[in-house]
PDB file of all heavy atoms in Angstrom:
ATOM      1  N   GLU A   6       8.387  21.888 -14.676  1.00 46.00           N
ATOM      2  CA  GLU A   6       7.689  23.144 -15.227  1.00 46.00           C
ATOM      3  C   GLU A   6       6.630  23.642 -14.350  1.00 46.00           C
ATOM      4  O   GLU A   6       5.884  24.565 -14.721  1.00 46.00           O
ATOM      5  CB  GLU A   6       7.079  22.803 -16.559  1.00 46.00           C
ATOM      6  CG  GLU A   6       8.196  22.606 -17.688  1.00 46.00           C
ATOM      7  CD  GLU A   6       7.506  22.309 -19.064  1.00 46.00           C
ATOM      8  OE1 GLU A   6       6.341  22.618 -19.233  1.00 46.00           O
ATOM      9  OE2 GLU A   6       8.167  21.928 -19.924  1.00 46.00           O
ATOM     10  N   PHE A  23      -6.609  21.658  -3.055  1.00 98.00           N
ATOM     11  CA  PHE A  23      -7.765  20.894  -2.673  1.00 98.00           C
ATOM     12  C   PHE A  23      -7.265  19.582  -2.210  1.00 98.00           C
ATOM     13  O   PHE A  23      -6.415  18.874  -2.854  1.00 98.00           O
ATOM     14  CB  PHE A  23      -8.617  20.627  -3.958  1.00 98.00           C
ATOM     15  CG  PHE A  23      -9.365  21.841  -4.447  1.00 98.00           C
ATOM     16  CD1 PHE A  23      -8.726  22.673  -5.335  1.00 98.00           C
ATOM     17  CD2 PHE A  23     -10.652  22.066  -4.019  1.00 98.00           C
ATOM     18  CE1 PHE A  23      -9.430  23.839  -5.831  1.00 98.00           C
ATOM     19  CE2 PHE A  23     -11.307  23.214  -4.422  1.00 98.00           C
ATOM     20  CZ  PHE A  23     -10.720  24.131  -5.367  1.00 98.00           C
ATOM     21  N   GLY A  42       6.456  25.467   7.722  1.00 98.00           N
ATOM     22  CA  GLY A  42       5.999  26.763   8.166  1.00 98.00           C
ATOM     23  C   GLY A  42       5.458  27.617   7.030  1.00 98.00           C
ATOM     24  O   GLY A  42       5.331  28.845   7.207  1.00 98.00           O
ATOM     25  N   PRO A  69     -13.323  28.102  -3.816  1.00 96.00           N
ATOM     26  CA  PRO A  69     -13.158  29.564  -4.063  1.00 96.00           C
ATOM     27  C   PRO A  69     -12.951  29.830  -5.528  1.00 96.00           C
ATOM     28  O   PRO A  69     -12.902  31.067  -5.915  1.00 96.00           O
ATOM     29  CB  PRO A  69     -11.855  29.912  -3.285  1.00 96.00           C
ATOM     30  CG  PRO A  69     -11.181  28.605  -3.324  1.00 96.00           C
ATOM     31  CD  PRO A  69     -12.239  27.482  -3.246  1.00 96.00           C
ATOM     32  N   THR A  74     -19.446  22.190  -6.435  1.00 97.00           N
ATOM     33  CA  THR A  74     -19.646  21.303  -5.184  1.00 97.00           C
ATOM     34  C   THR A  74     -18.883  19.942  -5.558  1.00 97.00           C
ATOM     35  O   THR A  74     -19.102  18.950  -4.853  1.00 97.00           O
ATOM     36  CB  THR A  74     -21.021  21.133  -4.858  1.00 97.00           C
ATOM     37  OG1 THR A  74     -21.838  20.645  -5.873  1.00 97.00           O
ATOM     38  CG2 THR A  74     -21.586  22.416  -4.317  1.00 97.00           C
ATOM     39  N   PRO A  91     -10.025  13.536 -12.289  1.00 91.00           N
ATOM     40  CA  PRO A  91     -10.072  14.314 -11.091  1.00 91.00           C
ATOM     41  C   PRO A  91      -9.517  13.626  -9.949  1.00 91.00           C
ATOM     42  O   PRO A  91      -9.918  12.413  -9.597  1.00 91.00           O
ATOM     43  CB  PRO A  91     -11.546  14.567 -10.871  1.00 91.00           C
ATOM     44  CG  PRO A  91     -12.252  14.276 -12.216  1.00 91.00           C
ATOM     45  CD  PRO A  91     -11.355  13.251 -12.861  1.00 91.00           C
ATOM     46  N   LYS A 148       6.760   3.339  -5.024  1.00 97.00           N
ATOM     47  CA  LYS A 148       6.431   2.038  -5.664  1.00 97.00           C
ATOM     48  C   LYS A 148       6.254   0.926  -4.801  1.00 97.00           C
ATOM     49  O   LYS A 148       5.257   0.204  -4.904  1.00 97.00           O
ATOM     50  CB  LYS A 148       7.583   1.826  -6.658  1.00 97.00           C
ATOM     51  CG  LYS A 148       7.363   0.610  -7.515  1.00 97.00           C
ATOM     52  CD  LYS A 148       8.617   0.267  -8.496  1.00 97.00           C
ATOM     53  CE  LYS A 148       8.478  -1.044  -9.210  1.00 97.00           C
ATOM     54  NZ  LYS A 148       9.612  -1.293 -10.080  1.00 97.00           N
ATOM     55  N   LEU A 184      15.768   0.624   9.709  1.00 98.00           N
ATOM     56  CA  LEU A 184      15.427   1.524  10.782  1.00 98.00           C
ATOM     57  C   LEU A 184      15.827   0.986  12.208  1.00 98.00           C
ATOM     58  O   LEU A 184      15.739   1.651  13.164  1.00 98.00           O
ATOM     59  CB  LEU A 184      13.848   1.791  10.747  1.00 98.00           C
ATOM     60  CG  LEU A 184      13.551   2.728   9.611  1.00 98.00           C
ATOM     61  CD1 LEU A 184      11.985   2.792   9.539  1.00 98.00           C
ATOM     62  CD2 LEU A 184      14.058   4.167   9.810  1.00 98.00           C
ATOM     63  N   GLU A 193      20.526  10.301  10.144  1.00 97.00           N
ATOM     64  CA  GLU A 193      20.255  11.004  11.431  1.00 97.00           C
ATOM     65  C   GLU A 193      19.252  12.191  11.165  1.00 97.00           C
ATOM     66  O   GLU A 193      18.803  12.799  12.089  1.00 97.00           O
ATOM     67  CB  GLU A 193      21.538  11.485  11.930  1.00 97.00           C
ATOM     68  CG  GLU A 193      22.588  10.517  12.294  1.00 97.00           C
ATOM     69  CD  GLU A 193      22.014   9.581  13.508  1.00 97.00           C
ATOM     70  OE1 GLU A 193      21.397  10.110  14.454  1.00 97.00           O
ATOM     71  OE2 GLU A 193      22.264   8.355  13.445  1.00 97.00           O
ATOM     72  N   ASP A 248      -5.940  12.917  10.821  1.00 97.00           N
ATOM     73  CA  ASP A 248      -6.961  12.595  11.725  1.00 97.00           C
ATOM     74  C   ASP A 248      -7.373  11.198  11.698  1.00 97.00           C
ATOM     75  O   ASP A 248      -7.852  10.721  10.623  1.00 97.00           O
ATOM     76  CB  ASP A 248      -8.177  13.525  11.460  1.00 97.00           C
ATOM     77  CG  ASP A 248      -9.355  13.367  12.514  1.00 97.00           C
ATOM     78  OD1 ASP A 248      -9.804  12.255  12.734  1.00 97.00           O
ATOM     79  OD2 ASP A 248      -9.707  14.342  13.126  1.00 97.00           O
ATOM     80  N   MET A 261     -14.324   3.212  -3.832  1.00 88.00           N
ATOM     81  CA  MET A 261     -12.994   3.340  -4.267  1.00 88.00           C
ATOM     82  C   MET A 261     -13.073   3.366  -5.773  1.00 88.00           C
ATOM     83  O   MET A 261     -13.852   2.717  -6.474  1.00 88.00           O
ATOM     84  CB  MET A 261     -12.109   2.252  -3.772  1.00 88.00           C
ATOM     85  CG  MET A 261     -12.015   2.226  -2.241  1.00 88.00           C
ATOM     86  SD  MET A 261     -10.997   3.555  -1.659  1.00 88.00           S
ATOM     87  CE  MET A 261     -11.500   3.668   0.009  1.00 88.00           C
ATOM     88  N   GLU A 267     -15.281   1.321 -10.373  1.00 81.00           N
ATOM     89  CA  GLU A 267     -15.645   1.543  -8.939  1.00 81.00           C
ATOM     90  C   GLU A 267     -15.448   0.147  -8.154  1.00 81.00           C
ATOM     91  O   GLU A 267     -15.770  -0.884  -8.689  1.00 81.00           O
ATOM     92  CB  GLU A 267     -17.128   1.933  -8.880  1.00 81.00           C
ATOM     93  CG  GLU A 267     -17.385   3.289  -9.546  1.00 81.00           C
ATOM     94  CD  GLU A 267     -18.850   3.637  -9.469  1.00 81.00           C
ATOM     95  OE1 GLU A 267     -19.601   2.988  -8.750  1.00 81.00           O
ATOM     96  OE2 GLU A 267     -19.263   4.522 -10.164  1.00 81.00           O
TER      97      GLU A 267
END
Side-chain angles (χ1 to χ4, degrees):
E6 293 183 9
F23 292 87
T74 57
K148 178 181 178 181
L184 290 168
E193 299 296 319
D248 185 303
M261 299 291 157
E267 294 180 14

